[in-house]
Amino acid sequence: LGAFLNAALVSSGRTRSELAAQLDMDLLLVDGILDGLLPDSELDDARLVEFAHALELEPNLLRSVLGRRIQQEARK
């Protein structure tokens, strides 16, 4: 997951610090997720959705990367 999120971050042209600020998350936590130091099992769905939205990805794409069940999203 970390490598996938890193690729999306690079494509976005933003830095890890900018992503952490956008997510209102500690930079060390963002680094841990992007570096694969935080076990995927510790990444809850709400945080996964936050990352997806911040990186303009579909949440179900990240769920599938982790082998999690795809969810139907609420329509806006």
Side-chain angles (χ1 to χ4, degrees):
L1 178 67
F4 189 87
L5 293 173
N6 267 309
L9 181 61
V10 168
S11 292
S12 77
R14 289 178 286 152
T15 66
R16 288 179 174 208
S17 295
E18 291 168 333
L19 179 61
Q22 180 182 354
L23 293 169
D24 193 27
M25 196 178 293
D26 188 89
L27 179 58
L28 287 175
L29 179 56
V30 170
D31 283 340
I33 293 168
L34 295 177
D35 292 338
L37 300 176
L38 183 72
D40 295 341
S41 61
E42 296 296 317
L43 192 58
D44 65 20
D45 195 65
R47 180 121 330 143
L48 195 69
V49 170
E50 288 176 15
F51 266 89
H53 290 161
L55 295 171
E56 298 181 14
L57 301 168
E58 289 295 324
N60 280 329
L61 178 61
L62 298 184
R63 289 181 185 116
S64 68
V65 167
L66 293 176
R68 295 184 183 174
R69 196 174 122 251
I70 302 301
Q71 298 182 16
Q72 186 172 9
E73 301 295 324
R75 299 217 174 214
K76 292 182 181 183

